[in-house]
Amino acid sequence: MGADILVVEDEPAIQDLVAVNLLRAGYQVRKAFSAEEAQLEIKATLPDLILLDWMLPGMSGIDLARRLRLEPRTRDLPIIMLTARSGEVDKVVGLETGADDFVTKPFSPRELTARIQAVLRRRAPHAAEEASCVGGLQLDPRTHRVSAGAAELKLGPTEFRLLHFLMTHPERVHSRVQLLDQVWGDHVFVEERTVDVHIRRLRATLAQTGHDTLIQTVRGNGYRLSAKPKN
Ligand code: CA
């Protein structure tokens, strides 16, 4: 599962070009044609990164970036500004809005994906594409594949996110509340025992290759993924 990128651009041709290239690079893409539409998308689900056009009808990209920086929920959302202007002053203003990077049109798709990768690595390493490997179990977030040797394991989206989080934070005990926060995301209200349900499903799938023992129950505390035997 590649990083979820929200592309905010009012020109359909550029929007399509960007979307095609990001999809090809393995990202998930959501589109918004105005800042107002982008706010609704962000309210529904927080993206991993936002590509934000400067000149938009209605609220400008810069105004949206400023607003996002003021809100606790979106304060750390990585933002790459897109603009047709290339003046130095504009760059300074763009960076003062809290944008993480600045891409001037016309840009090459390769340049854009390279910039996205760099910002994600720096700001949201969980969304960067590196595969994780623990105890012979391999998870590749970019291709959404989980495998053990030659065997491929099919996981549901929640189990995949859960395993991804556990594999990128191994050896630590995570409470159910922490897992809900990290895996189910913000402002999703589900009961703590939902975590147990998905842990059970995840273990059932991992049992196919004998990797269910990687997920340990820490009584009274939560869960831990560890390649070391439980003591
Ligand atoms: Ca525009």
Side-chain angles (χ1 to χ4, degrees):
M1 182 168 43
D4 172 24
I5 298 180
L6 178 62
V7 184
V8 191
E9 166 67 68
D10 59 309
E11 287 156 70
I14 299 179
Q15 177 69 269
D16 285 347
L17 177 78
V18 170
V20 163
N21 283 288
L22 294 186
L23 288 169
R24 195 175 293 156
Y27 295 108
Q28 302 178 75
V29 178
R30 280 192 283 153
K31 295 179 179 180
F33 293 89
S34 68
E36 291 79 3
E37 229 179 287
Q39 285 180 308
L40 292 177
E41 284 288 337
I42 294 167
K43 202 174 167 193
T45 316
L46 200 59
D48 292 309
L49 182 143
I50 172 167
L51 271 185
L52 182 56
D53 184 30
W54 176 309
M55 299 298 283
L56 293 165
M59 192 196 302
S60 75
I62 287 188
D63 283 344
L64 177 59
R66 288 205 176 107
R67 286 182 193 213
L68 293 173
R69 286 294 175 252
L70 290 174
E71 287 277 323
R73 185 170 167 257
T74 51
R75 189 179 290 145
D76 298 321
L77 176 60
I79 299 173
I80 297 180
M81 295 287 299
L82 300 176
T83 183
R85 313 182 191 183
S86 60
E88 282 300 308
V89 177
D90 291 347
K91 290 201 181 193
V92 172
V93 173
L95 294 171
E96 277 176 356
T97 64
D100 294 277
D101 202 356
F102 206 90
V103 177
T104 308
K105 296 174 195 172
F107 46 81
S108 76
R110 192 185 298 181
E111 183 194 356
L112 184 63
T113 43
R115 298 283 194 97
I116 290 173
Q117 248 338 79
V119 169
L120 283 176
R121 278 224 179 84
R122 196 166 73 237
R123 296 289 309 280
H126 64 278
E129 64 185 45
E130 281 90 31
S132 330
C133 189
V134 178
L137 188 68
Q138 184 141 7
L139 179 146
D140 190 339
R142 215 167 66 97
T143 55
H144 208 279
R145 282 209 171 118
V146 178
S147 55
E152 195 178 319
L153 296 167
K154 297 272 174 232
L155 296 177
T158 305
E159 286 74 38
F160 183 89
R161 284 202 305 275
L162 185 56
L163 182 63
H164 187 199
F165 177 75
L166 291 171
M167 286 182 75
T168 47
H169 303 82
E171 306 300 335
R172 269 179 266 170
V173 181
H174 308 285
S175 71
R176 288 169 180 81
V177 173
Q178 285 167 337
L179 289 173
L180 281 177
D181 246 26
Q182 298 289 336
V183 178
W184 277 257
D186 49 357
H187 73 175
V188 173
F189 301 101
V190 287
E191 290 178 62
E192 285 184 35
R193 65 191 164 89
T194 305
V195 174
D196 303 329
V197 172
H198 288 278
I199 287 277
R200 200 149 59 229
R201 285 190 200 153
L202 178 57
R203 277 185 176 140
T205 307
L206 297 183
Q208 293 168 20
T209 53
H211 288 89
D212 50 320
T213 51
L214 287 178
I215 297 173
Q216 304 172 354
T217 304
V218 182
R219 257 211 314 176
N221 278 304
Y223 296 101
R224 165 175 61 203
L225 184 131
S226 174
K228 297 172 196 157
K230 195 182 171 188
N231 47 29

